[in-house]
Amino acid sequence: MNAVKVLEDLKRRFPNEFEYHQAVEEVLSTIEEEYNKHPEFDKANLIERLCIPDRVFQFRVTWMDDRGNIRTNMGYRVQHNNAIGPYKGGIRFHSSVNLSILKFLAFEQTFKNSLTTLPMGGGKGGSDFSPRGKSNAEVMRFVQAFMLELWRHIGPETDVPAGDIGVGGREVGYMFGMYKKLTREFTGTLTGKGQEFGGSLIRPEATGYGNIYFLMEMLKNKGTDLKDKVCLVSGSGNVAQYTAEKVLELGGKVVTMSDSDGYIYDPAGIDREKLNYIMELKNLYRGRIREYAEKYGCKYVEGARPWSEKGDIALPSATQNEINGEDAEKLIANGVIAVSEGANMPSTPEAIRVFQDAKILYAPGKAANAGGVSVSGLEMTQNSIKLSWSSEEVDEKLKSIMKNIHESCVKYGTEDDGYVNYVKGANVAGFMKVAKAMMAQGIL
Ligand code: NDP
Ligand code: 2IT
């Protein structure tokens, strides 16, 4: 394979899908060497078959808002690769959603899911519908209309969606209800369900907790831990909240959180009581992070991200490309020793280069945030065997999966000088398993 040529080809065939190009480029540049050790891969044109999704569904979603207006949105499901298990990956509802973003997410999900060691392929879906400012009834009507199209393409052994940005317990619950109504079957087709109807304990916490378990493994290798470390967290949704919770539990201090309008900086630290306030503000009242600054009298910066503040560890947990090269330079200048990604692809290629040149600990999302989909996989297992495990059991399994992923990264990513290139490690480890499965299954 010639990575540059493969990428050029993809760009020509799928122009303007910049996030998709970005995600593919990162993987190709890091697996090229390993790939070329296996001439049989190239003979089977494995790389194109792995970069282009198996199929993409695209549909219009029509729903009625509270004032009686008939509204339309676009809905999508990208089924990227099912070599090692049913397609698996979240659903995103956000005004920015388009095919490029979902293709990048489905592509990354394939490698992430491979890393978890659980039998899950990669997929992603969503809509440009924004739940922001919508009533509960509007969200429900939209979700039901969305599922009216999606249900034909998913199933417990086919494709198992879950949450992502804008899709949490409430939305998964409505999706599950409509799916059940349409199929007249009670199955584990969605994960992230409520505990009363097949959801796994620890699934809401899993992405944030998993990221911190991964971070702890990285820090342990450097002979340190989280005690008294100052953490910069972005986002204030599902991933950010449970990231902050675990940091607090392990003796670290969280000084920032954000939303799409701006960020708060609380040098005293967001303690348990303040975090409870944020959880209520975001999950119940669906308010803005600015209100935290008003309540606790700290700094709020409108229209900015928290990367110019001083901290030891950065935990981006909002969205893609939220740390650019300049932000990365600021973080390094301020003495950051580790960046562990709760979000998917939050660092631009320039930012990644800055982190790796400075030889700090840098964990890409597909390794560090794999805890969420891992517990989704455990939810699928529990649904299959019709049993549910305790929080302790699930948490132990999550810890051990994150430890394994860390070991795989070290195995495949350690460079001659001992620096662990976690990007390379995650990509090569994730790729090899999918590649071997594809080779064994013939030309499809
Ligand atoms: P939520 O919707 O719960 O929270 C998202 C947070 O990020 C909100 O604070 C939101 O602000 C902010 N945000 C979203 N889009 C933007 C944007 N374009 N610019 C600035 N801020 C933004 O989503 P999650 O916490 O579930 O997801 C966060 C990240 O983690 C995503 O990258 C997702 O793909 C990734 N992820 C999620 C997993 C999960 O299990 N949920 C698993 C693995 C990764 P606002 O409230 O203003 O919209
Ligand atoms: O990006 C992700 O890994 C997720 N949004 C979770 C996917 C899942 O199926 O739990």
Side-chain angles (χ1 to χ4, degrees):
M1 159 195 25
N2 175 338
V4 174
K5 199 186 151 297
V6 175
L7 190 72
E8 264 174 18
D9 226 44
L10 279 184
K11 286 183 177 170
R12 190 179 44 75
R13 288 163 90 174
F14 309 105
N16 305 321
E17 296 186 353
F18 303 114
E19 292 86 359
Y20 172 54
H21 303 160
Q22 183 184 336
V24 170
E25 181 162 18
E26 184 214 276
V27 169
L28 293 188
S29 63
T30 48
I31 65 165
E32 187 172 16
E33 196 186 327
E34 188 62 33
Y35 184 96
N36 286 334
K37 289 183 192 158
H38 301 265
E40 70 278 16
F41 288 174
D42 226 24
K43 252 188 163 162
N45 195 6
L46 201 73
I47 203 62
E48 276 188 35
R49 293 162 53 207
L50 189 57
C51 288
I52 301 172
D54 287 353
R55 65 190 69 79
V56 176
F57 299 105
Q58 205 173 142
F59 44 88
R60 171 173 43 77
V61 182
T62 308
W63 58 283
M64 189 190 282
D65 71 20
D66 286 346
R67 282 162 300 165
N69 301 313
I70 307 300
R71 311 272 294 257
T72 63
N73 284 97
M74 285 310 296
Y76 309 88
R77 184 72 182 168
V78 178
Q79 296 184 334
H80 189 84
N81 185 293
N82 66 351
I84 62 174
Y87 302 106
K88 178 86 196 86
I91 298 277
R92 176 177 291 193
F93 292 162
H94 192 269
S95 52
S96 64
V97 163
N98 58 35
L99 207 47
S100 170
I101 289 178
L102 295 178
K103 278 170 75 176
F104 115 64
L105 288 163
F107 174 79
E108 290 229 316
Q109 195 82 45
T110 300
F111 301 94
K112 183 196 302 190
N113 293 3
S114 167
L115 283 172
T116 66
T117 69
L118 303 174
M120 301 181 290
K124 202 87 185 188
S127 173
D128 56 2
F129 170 82
S130 168
R132 190 171 165 179
K134 303 289 190 304
S135 73
N136 202 44
E138 287 176 324
V139 169
M140 184 167 69
R141 283 198 296 274
F142 169 78
V143 167
Q144 292 181 339
F146 179 78
M147 190 48 84
L148 215 43
E149 282 289 333
L150 184 68
W151 75 281
R152 288 181 188 283
H153 311 303
I154 61 177
E157 311 297 340
T158 315
D159 184 350
V160 183
D164 193 77
I165 291 177
V167 177
R170 173 181 64 169
E171 291 74 16
V172 170
Y174 293 155
M175 279 197 272
F176 180 80
M178 192 63 178
Y179 181 79
K180 190 189 63 173
K181 181 98 181 159
L182 290 163
T183 58
R184 302 187 185 180
E185 277 177 358
F186 195 109
T187 61
T189 298
L190 288 131
T191 61
K193 301 184 288 296
Q195 273 166 43
E196 307 76 13
F197 51 99
S200 177
L201 290 165
I202 305 291
R203 177 61 188 89
E205 294 86 347
T207 313
Y209 281 17
N211 187 20
I212 299 307
Y213 296 152
F214 193 93
L215 171 70
M216 290 296 283
E217 290 297 315
M218 294 203 292
L219 293 174
K220 195 163 79 186
N221 265 9
K222 292 269 169 204
T224 183
D225 60 22
L226 259 173
K227 189 104 193 60
D228 300 325
K229 298 281 190 309
V230 174
C231 298
L232 307 174
V233 174
S234 67
S236 50
N238 171 269
V239 177
Q241 291 171 16
Y242 290 104
T243 295
E245 181 167 288
K246 194 49 88 176
V247 168
L248 290 188
E249 201 186 303
L250 296 176
K253 186 170 168 184
V254 175
V255 293
T256 66
M257 280 177 93
S258 70
D259 61 22
S260 48
D261 294 339
Y263 77 89
I264 52 123
Y265 175 63
D266 185 348
I270 299 169
D271 60 19
R272 183 69 251 187
E273 183 220 312
K274 293 171 175 173
L275 183 59
N276 286 345
Y277 169 79
I278 291 178
M279 287 178 165
E280 222 170 80
L281 174 73
K282 285 290 171 183
N283 309 345
L284 232 56
Y285 303 113
R286 300 185 189 268
R288 310 307 303 158
I289 200 70
R290 174 182 28 82
E291 296 167 51
Y292 176 102
E294 286 155 14
K295 180 166 168 75
Y296 293 108
C298 72
K299 177 167 101 173
Y300 170 68
V301 186
E302 178 90 21
R305 291 167 172 154
W307 314 126
S308 53
E309 301 297 344
K310 201 167 163 39
D312 303 305
I313 293 168
L315 301 163
S317 312
T319 193
Q320 65 274 355
N321 293 329
E322 57 169 316
I323 303 183
N324 61 27
E326 238 172 78
D327 297 326
E329 301 273 10
K330 275 186 228 153
L331 287 168
I332 297 294
N334 278 333
V336 150
I337 59 163
V339 178
S340 201
E341 297 183 341
N344 285 308
M345 206 168 76
S347 305
T348 63
E350 295 73 34
I352 297 175
R353 215 164 302 130
V354 171
F355 296 144
Q356 293 186 329
D357 285 350
K359 305 248 170 205
I360 63 159
L361 298 169
Y362 166 68
K366 65 168 84 68
N369 73 34
V373 76
S374 297
V375 174
S376 277
L378 300 177
E379 183 169 323
M380 288 165 72
T381 307
Q382 293 169 80
N383 292 165
S384 293
I385 61 174
K386 296 188 162 53
L387 286 174
S388 48
W389 298 328
S390 68
S391 301
E392 292 74 21
E393 275 175 285
V394 179
D395 201 25
E396 269 318 302
K397 287 186 168 61
L398 171 63
K399 267 187 205 150
S400 123
I401 289 170
M402 298 315 294
K403 196 165 182 280
N404 272 333
I405 297 177
H406 182 266
E407 274 166 20
S408 298
C409 291
V410 171
K411 179 173 167 199
Y412 288 99
T414 303
E415 294 180 339
D416 293 342
D417 62 357
Y419 177 67
V420 181
N421 181 336
Y422 284 91
V423 178
K424 181 175 178 199
N427 289 341
V428 173
F431 162 75
M432 283 308 286
K433 183 175 168 188
V434 178
K436 285 181 185 162
M438 286 175 74
M439 291 302 291
Q441 292 171 28
I443 305 300
L444 296 167

